[in-house]
Amino acid sequence: MALLRLLVLLALVGSVWATWDTCRGTCGLRPMAFDRSSAPAEYSQDKDYEILDSSHGSSQDKGGTGIQPGAWPGIVSVQATRENGTWHMCSGALIHPQWVLTVAQCFFGAGDISKWEVVIGATDLSQPGPEAEVRHIQSLIVHRHYNPSTARNNMALLELERPVECSDYIQLGCVPDSSLAVPELRTCYIAGWRAAPDSAPGPRPLLQEAKVRLMDAQVCNSSRWYGGAVQPQELCAGYPRGGIDTCQGDIGGPLVCKDKTRDHFWLVGLASWGKGCAGAKRPGVFTSTQHFHTWILVQMGLLQPEADASPAESFPSLEKELQEDLEDELNPNNSEDYAGGSFQQQILGKFLNLMLELVQFLKGEKA
């Protein structure tokens, strides 16, 4: 039985095993980043919007702080190929070697996405460089309760055709579970692609960043701010005085915050909507990844669906038993400690335990 369970586990490892050596079972790392907080971006304030636009129309704006290659190793460019070329549509974040987290709005009315792809590890989209990876989208999962008029449940997952390998330029983002006190995080950044000032005659999207502050939810929802429009599943980030916002960025751009004690970053939000551009009392609004932590795990197959949810996938009985064993062992207190370790770590831990069982079994046979 131990041997049979071991063989099933090896089959389950499958696609992620090849990336174990490169991703090292970690997330939230920025090996080539450095603190640019002394020079935050000052974005212009000449564009009005209700729901953040994609890259269309942003090429004429100025501002933003350009960054060095590798400073944002988890950000992803979602692109569509059309008759007139390939276009950056929105951003996202790599949270697993084969999964990208982004916003549902990016795909609203998109139709056929068979020619869409993602670019990981790039800073200049016109010249991604040898360190970048390109993957086609194998499947798209949009939150079934997404409301385009209010941006409620503005969340989506992209399954890639095959896993990517991690490097200094490509790393996994950490989605926090309910145990992390996100409002207490103080060092936060936003990022997105914007056309370089010297990109004429054609656009040359460059990755840029800015330092922001998480805003108190009650203040952000007060009558002189957003007047109750911000939902519990959303975060506000920026400054009360304005000047820095996601208005020139694209939808799905990550909001990351540095951990208070450890040297890694949490992916706490994805750019969703706002009003005005970098105006006072009008910070950017982000979909909270923490709020969708369980949903993300269920869609990726790392947790069993809730009783009232539609099963994402049917497993043969033996695989289902193994999946339940994994959950029981990794969550002894029925907690969701996904952020503390990646799926590769979880599989490796179970693999080692089963190896010990196999050794004991073989010793028993010899005796």
Side-chain angles (χ1 to χ4, degrees):
M1 181 61 183
L3 181 58
L4 181 60
R5 293 177 68 196
L6 177 61
L7 292 176
V8 172
L9 179 65
L10 290 174
L12 182 62
V13 170
S15 62
V16 302
W17 183 257
T19 64
W20 167 254
D21 289 338
T22 57
C23 291
R24 302 183 298 276
T26 59
C27 63
L29 301 180
R30 298 179 66 188
M32 302 182 69
F34 62 96
D35 189 3
R36 303 182 65 97
S37 58
S38 60
E42 291 294 336
Y43 298 162
S44 62
Q45 304 179 26
D46 56 0
K47 180 179 177 181
D48 189 30
Y49 66 98
E50 293 299 328
I51 299 293
L52 288 176
D53 291 329
S54 60
S55 59
H56 305 298
S58 64
S59 61
Q60 297 180 8
D61 295 325
K62 296 181 180 180
T65 301
I67 62 175
Q68 296 298 317
W72 280 78
I75 195 171
V76 167
S77 169
V78 181
Q79 304 182 355
T81 299
R82 297 172 176 169
E83 294 181 357
N84 59 347
T86 299
W87 301 91
H88 170 77
M89 304 303 293
C90 62
S91 295
L94 188 72
I95 60 171
H96 177 280
Q98 204 165 353
W99 290 91
V100 168
L101 188 65
T102 184
V103 290
Q105 183 192 339
C106 184
F107 302 91
F108 181 67
D112 181 19
I113 63 166
S114 61
K115 294 184 179 180
W116 289 44
E117 59 189 18
V118 302
V119 178
I120 313 106
T123 300
D124 183 345
L125 294 184
S126 65
Q127 300 175 340
E131 62 274 1
E133 297 277 351
V134 179
R135 295 289 187 273
H136 288 291
I137 299 173
Q138 178 171 301
S139 63
L140 164 66
I141 302 175
V142 173
H143 198 287
R144 62 178 180 173
H145 296 306
Y146 167 59
N147 185 331
S149 63
T150 63
R152 185 176 180 85
N153 299 308
N154 194 10
M155 186 65 70
L157 276 165
L158 306 178
E159 183 180 13
L160 308 182
E161 59 176 340
R162 55 191 173 89
V164 299
E165 295 187 0
C166 291
S167 66
D168 285 344
Y169 299 89
I170 299 175
Q171 292 288 328
L172 307 181
C174 278
V175 177
D177 65 9
S178 58
S179 66
L180 181 70
V182 171
E184 297 180 3
L185 302 178
R186 292 290 179 261
T187 306
C188 302
Y189 298 88
I190 55 176
W193 276 279
R194 303 175 185 88
D198 59 349
S199 60
R204 184 191 172 204
L206 294 178
L207 187 62
Q208 300 188 20
E209 70 172 11
K211 187 176 182 180
V212 294
R213 283 172 45 193
L214 295 179
M215 311 297 296
D216 180 81
Q218 291 185 347
V219 172
C220 194
N221 246 342
S222 62
S223 59
R224 294 188 178 182
W225 290 52
Y226 280 121
V230 179
Q231 303 166 68
Q233 57 190 248
E234 295 172 329
L235 300 171
C236 292
Y239 293 95
R241 67 180 185 277
I244 296 179
D245 198 356
T246 52
C247 50
Q248 293 178 48
D250 47 9
I251 56 173
L255 166 65
V256 302
C257 296
K258 192 176 184 300
D259 189 81
K260 295 177 65 177
T261 58
R262 293 180 290 176
D263 190 22
H264 76 262
F265 290 79
W266 295 100
L267 173 67
V268 300
L270 300 174
S272 181
W273 66 277
K275 187 175 182 180
C277 181
K281 302 178 182 178
R282 293 292 187 268
V285 181
F286 299 76
T287 301
S288 168
T289 59
Q290 184 181 51
H291 183 90
F292 294 93
H293 180 266
T294 298
W295 180 84
I296 293 168
L297 295 186
V298 169
Q299 303 308 317
M300 291 171 57
L302 300 182
L303 279 181
Q304 292 298 313
E306 298 292 338
D308 60 347
S310 301
E313 185 177 2
S314 298
F315 297 92
S317 58
L318 190 56
E319 288 190 22
K320 184 175 181 181
E321 177 186 344
L322 179 58
Q323 185 75 11
E324 291 174 350
D325 288 345
L326 274 169
E327 293 171 10
D328 292 340
E329 181 167 329
L330 295 169
N331 302 291
N333 297 320
N334 197 31
S335 63
E336 298 174 0
D337 191 17
Y338 170 71
S342 70
F343 185 42
Q344 298 100 309
Q345 271 186 319
Q346 299 174 4
I347 292 295
L348 182 60
K350 188 64 177 179
F351 174 79
L352 294 176
N353 288 334
L354 288 182
M355 286 294 292
L356 291 175
E357 291 183 18
L358 180 61
V359 170
Q360 294 174 355
F361 170 77
L362 294 177
K363 285 183 177 179
E365 287 291 306
K366 290 182 179 181

